[in-house]
Amino acid sequence: MYAIEATGLYKRYGEVIAVNGIDLAVKQGEIFGMLGPNGAGKTTTTEMLVGLRQPDAGVVKILSMDPKKEGAAIKARIGVQLQTSALFNHLTVRETLVLMASFFPRCRPVDELLNLVDLQEKANVQTRHLSGGQQQRLQVALAMVNDGDLLFLDEPTTGLDPQARRRLWDIIEKMREEGKTVFLTTHYMEEAEKLCDRVAVIDHGQIIALGSPDELIAAHFGETAIELPAFSGLDDHMLAQLAGVSHIQRQNSQVTLYSTAVPATVGALLELAQKLGVSLENLMIRRATLEDVFLKLTGRRIRE
Amino acid sequence: MKAYLLLVLANIREFSRDLMTLFWFLAFPLIFILLFGAIFSGNGDLEFQVGLAVEDQGPAAAGIAEAMKAVPIFQITQGDREAMLAALKEGKLRAVIVLPEDLSAAMMVGQRVDLPVYYDAAQQTSREIVLSVMKDMTAELDRRLTGRPQLIGIQAEPIQAGRKMRDIDYLLPGILSMSLMQLGLFGTFNFVSMRQRKVFKRFGATPLPKWTLLAAEITVRLMIAVIQTLVIVFVGRLVFDVQMVGNWAVLIALVMLGATVFVSMGYMIAGFAKTEDGVQGIIQTVQFPMMFLSGIFFPVEFMPAFLRPVMTAMPLSYLGDLLRQEMVGASAMHSLAVNLGVLGGFTLVSLALAVRFFRWE
């Protein structure tokens, strides 16, 4: 059973191809992430899936229903949080939830929602007085107002401070416990790694990698990353010669060596540094992440 | 139905909790009434500052002075001739009348006396009115003194089409028309702003039908229109004694019609323009000429002939005509059929275009 099935999704705006042939199959109960930089086509994909935009080509099925024929039935069973959508400024949190609930045939009790997103104390505050994180939690509560089976969250944590982001992660974890299917987009790789069962890495409107975070890392890296400052005086040629180094990436102020044999590589590196009298401060050895996957696939970092 | 009612409620809350919007829709017409009312509420009466120099101590001069003070349009200031003439030259007086030294004595012996009347030659109206009042008065005095019976007189019988109209009577329905126009046009501005902030986009992903949102929007506009009408009519009554002569039910129906015309026009404009700034530009170009050229503040006779065709092209003219008839009993400019036909036609065309070009984001 798939909650979302899409094949050959395609959308262009004038000269710009926003989404260039995307296939998706999101299982029920799964938290599925779409990870990519700004402008990769995440929002356009989301808006086509929820029925706010018509794809130029491609087929979509949501909860096994056809949006063209059963649009209203689908809308009653999905919850949507849009990246750019604003609220009625002068309504209180509770009034906003009650209003949104009235659009649906079935809905969750407002107090339960307030509890879920931890906004009980702000229930009677006008939305314009909420902080960014509180507004975002309200948006997520609005997406859950109809107790839908499938939730679309478009960059739910963008622009939030780390603490506010963690609180939203907790809410999304609760959705998992409730057995909801969640489709979320993000450009934070740690968010995708922490929350998502599976991740589609998207760039220039195409999926360039798909799998669980661990699978993706394992598939693209048998290696471990060794980071050192770019200004260390060691050039790429020397570094590439070191034992165990499979390839290197130079990014702004930082060089990353990907090594299949960390002890050998580090030993050789220290030897080289000593010989040339180079300081190796800020040397760091870490496991490869989705960021490395993206870097390897596109030659760019997700956020630049 | 629940969604409709809650949307209406949400709109009312959004409106009533926003002080700036409240100010625009309620205080602005009020300021307009008070300002225009203060300027025009003199009942159209004329008043002339007239200086009087009494140089004669006799009983005749005292009698004439009393008679002059009794003239309602004269505000008499008394003083000596030099001071009065100086005031006339400074523009503080419109005319100076002198009752010369030998007045009583001359009249006793039946000798003709001419009363000097000084006036500002540049002030044509003052000259005409002051001189003719003085001529009337002296003729009447003359007649009484000589004991000649008056053979021909006049009986003043004011006849006016409809009720007696003061400026403020004409103005008040105009202000109401203007408020309805601004409510419709600028109300849409708010809608566009919310559309641009993507408040409605989110609704597009719910089962809410589009027409429910639109119906709620229009309902709230019409409610505000009725409240505005009540405020304007009551302030007109309390402050300027403008009586509502028509039928309340008819007036409210006309207000609804007027609001619908301009709300539809507003949504049509909202469909044409993409951004808040674009909408504001179009609205200003539509509403500004309409405010001053549609004849809601000045009767058609005051307009230069070349502007009159412009006036007949503006829906506000027809609404103003209808409201003037119903509120203060003014005489009709157009027949009822023409008024309703034009307003109905404007509504249908702009609604059709509004629906055609409607966008949710």
Side-chain angles (χ1 to χ4, degrees):
Chain A
M1 252 314 247
Y2 289 108
I4 304 172
E5 282 178 273
T7 38
L9 274 188
Y10 180 88
K11 182 78 185 177
R12 69 186 293 166
Y13 302 114
E15 291 294 292
V16 183
I17 299 171
V19 173
N20 192 6
I22 280 186
D23 300 328
L24 283 172
V26 177
K27 286 176 243 161
Q28 246 168 20
E30 182 174 38
I31 296 191
F32 187 91
M34 190 167 251
L35 174 70
N38 287 329
K42 302 189 297 291
T43 295
T44 306
T45 305
T46 311
E47 291 184 1
M48 286 193 291
L49 293 176
V50 300
L52 283 171
R53 284 183 202 287
Q54 282 306 311
D56 295 333
V59 182
V60 177
K61 277 204 157 181
I62 302 293
L63 300 168
S64 308
M65 290 183 277
D66 179 356
K68 286 189 187 114
K69 292 178 196 142
E70 296 158 286
I74 293 174
K75 284 175 178 178
R77 286 183 57 199
I78 62 173
V80 180
Q81 173 257 314
L82 296 172
Q83 190 188 341
T84 49
S85 174
L87 301 158
F88 278 92
N89 278 334
H90 299 271
L91 292 192
T92 66
V93 169
R94 181 182 294 278
E95 287 163 355
T96 306
L97 285 165
V98 169
L99 174 68
M100 187 62 95
S102 75
F103 300 166
F104 293 95
R106 185 174 68 129
C107 49
R108 272 175 108 135
V110 167
D111 286 304
E112 190 183 311
L113 290 165
L114 288 171
N115 256 325
L116 208 62
V117 298
D118 203 11
L119 280 176
Q120 307 93 315
E121 278 159 33
K122 298 286 174 185
N124 297 316
V125 173
Q126 291 184 18
T127 61
R128 64 200 165 113
H129 297 309
L130 296 180
S131 72
Q134 290 162 345
Q135 291 221 4
Q136 204 58 23
R137 294 211 301 278
L138 175 57
Q139 294 275 14
V140 171
L142 288 171
M144 298 168 75
V145 87
N146 60 333
D147 200 15
D149 308 309
L150 171 58
L151 290 144
F152 292 88
L153 309 176
D154 192 9
E155 301 203 3
T157 64
T158 295
L160 300 187
D161 58 59
Q163 197 193 350
R165 185 172 303 154
R166 289 237 157 66
R167 291 180 89 165
L168 253 171
W169 288 355
D170 291 342
I171 295 167
I172 295 170
E173 286 293 347
K174 282 185 209 162
M175 294 176 182
R176 185 206 301 277
E177 285 160 24
E178 290 180 357
K180 311 279 187 202
T181 310
V182 179
F183 176 93
L184 74 87
T185 70
T186 180
H187 57 230
Y188 299 110
M189 48 107 190
E190 67 273 28
E191 184 165 297
E193 277 184 42
K194 178 162 176 12
L195 287 176
C196 298
D197 300 317
R198 282 196 306 149
V199 176
V201 182
I202 178 173
D203 193 36
H204 297 304
Q206 284 178 311
I207 292 177
I208 52 176
L210 176 69
S212 74
D214 286 341
E215 278 166 17
L216 285 176
I217 294 164
H220 294 279
F221 291 98
E223 308 98 324
T224 300
I226 301 165
E227 286 177 357
L228 57 154
F231 47 82
S232 61
L234 303 171
D235 66 33
D236 288 4
H237 182 71
M238 293 180 203
L239 292 171
Q241 299 290 322
L242 295 175
V245 170
S246 60
H247 66 282
I248 61 173
Q249 282 282 354
R250 192 174 276 271
Q251 274 291 322
N252 304 330
S253 62
Q254 191 170 280
V255 181
T256 308
L257 312 179
Y258 295 99
S259 162
T260 47
V262 178
T265 308
V266 173
L269 182 63
L270 290 175
E271 206 174 295
L272 181 67
Q274 207 155 29
K275 202 165 79 185
L276 296 176
V278 171
S279 145
L280 278 181
E281 268 174 64
N282 297 325
L283 181 77
M284 195 170 89
I285 302 169
R286 60 168 174 80
R287 184 177 98 98
T289 65
L290 285 178
E291 183 84 51
D292 298 304
V293 175
F294 190 82
L295 192 59
K296 183 175 175 188
L297 293 172
T298 66
R300 292 176 289 121
R301 286 186 181 272
I302 287 182
R303 278 171 292 145
E304 302 196 305
Chain B
M1 195 59 192
K2 194 181 171 201
Y4 165 77
L5 291 176
L6 282 170
L7 274 169
V8 168
L9 194 60
N11 266 305
I12 293 172
R13 282 172 169 152
E14 192 72 7
F15 182 80
S16 60
R17 288 174 188 172
D18 182 356
L19 291 177
M20 275 311 285
T21 323
L22 260 189
F23 175 81
W24 270 95
F25 284 114
L26 290 176
F28 187 65
L30 281 185
I31 291 171
F32 230 78
I33 299 176
L34 295 176
L35 209 69
F36 269 46
I39 297 170
F40 291 106
S41 68
N43 285 0
D45 284 350
L46 295 165
E47 236 173 37
F48 291 96
Q49 300 290 331
V50 175
L52 180 64
V54 184
E55 296 172 344
D56 178 56
Q57 305 301 319
I64 295 174
E66 281 313 306
M68 283 183 57
K69 282 176 191 163
V71 175
I73 62 167
F74 281 180
Q75 279 282 97
I76 302 288
T77 316
Q78 239 174 303
D80 63 52
R81 189 195 291 235
E82 276 67 39
M84 290 296 102
L85 287 178
L88 177 65
K89 281 181 183 145
E90 283 169 23
K92 287 178 184 161
L93 294 174
R94 298 289 195 95
V96 172
I97 297 157
V98 180
L99 304 180
E101 210 176 341
D102 51 352
L103 179 72
S104 299
M107 279 171 72
M108 296 290 194
V109 298
Q111 201 184 338
R112 178 192 167 105
V113 184
D114 286 322
L115 306 180
V117 177
Y118 299 90
Y119 58 85
D120 181 354
Q123 298 263 1
Q124 244 188 351
T125 357
S126 318
R127 186 189 66 194
E128 295 296 332
I129 291 171
V130 173
L131 287 186
S132 71
V133 167
M134 285 309 293
K135 273 179 194 156
D136 272 4
M137 212 173 73
T138 49
E140 176 70 15
L141 276 171
D142 211 27
R143 194 182 60 77
R144 286 196 187 164
L145 289 172
T146 54
R148 258 188 299 133
Q150 187 179 16
L151 297 179
I152 304 174
I154 56 157
Q155 190 180 349
E157 298 264 16
I159 294 177
Q160 275 172 323
R163 275 178 73 253
K164 177 181 182 290
M165 295 281 285
R166 298 170 299 161
D167 287 329
I168 186 76
D169 290 320
Y170 191 91
L171 212 58
L172 202 74
I175 291 171
L176 178 56
S177 319
M178 179 198 71
S179 310
L180 291 175
M181 171 181 74
Q182 294 189 331
L183 175 73
L185 297 180
F186 288 116
T188 321
F189 183 62
N190 180 53
F191 177 83
V192 173
S193 141
M194 289 180 67
R195 184 179 69 188
Q196 210 175 355
R197 287 173 47 228
K198 313 217 178 190
V199 176
F200 301 131
K201 182 178 181 179
R202 173 71 186 80
F203 296 172
T206 73
L208 178 76
K210 292 177 180 182
W211 59 263
T212 308
L213 179 63
L214 199 56
E217 284 271 325
I218 292 176
T219 307
V220 175
R221 299 281 141 216
L222 295 188
M223 285 163 80
I224 297 168
V226 171
I227 293 170
Q228 271 189 338
T229 306
L230 295 179
V231 169
I232 289 173
V233 170
F234 280 118
V235 169
R237 173 83 185 266
L238 284 177
V239 183
F240 299 107
D241 192 34
V242 179
Q243 304 285 334
M244 221 292 274
V245 301
N247 180 314
W248 273 104
V250 176
L251 178 66
I252 298 293
L254 290 178
V255 164
M256 298 272 200
L257 173 66
T260 312
V261 174
F262 291 106
V263 168
S264 324
M265 278 183 76
Y267 283 113
M268 175 181 77
I269 294 170
F272 290 154
K274 282 202 178 72
T275 61
E276 272 179 67
D277 291 340
V279 170
Q280 196 175 28
I282 299 180
I283 285 176
Q284 290 294 6
T285 28
V286 169
Q287 77 106 19
F288 219 70
M290 198 131 68
M291 195 151 117
F292 294 109
L293 298 180
S294 64
I296 52 167
F297 296 140
F298 320 99
V300 60
E301 295 77 26
F302 286 25
M303 297 275 175
F306 74 96
L307 277 178
R308 293 192 195 170
V310 179
M311 196 171 146
T312 51
M314 294 178 164
L316 195 57
S317 308
Y318 302 88
L319 179 64
D321 188 29
L322 281 173
L323 289 177
R324 261 196 310 278
Q325 291 176 47
E326 195 58 31
M327 280 175 74
V328 295
S331 46
M333 263 167 55
H334 310 284
S335 73
L336 187 65
V338 169
N339 277 332
L340 293 182
V342 169
L343 292 177
F346 259 99
T347 308
L348 287 181
V349 170
S350 38
L351 261 186
L353 289 172
V355 170
R356 168 72 185 76
F357 291 102
F358 201 85
R359 286 192 313 267
W360 290 94
E361 59 155 317

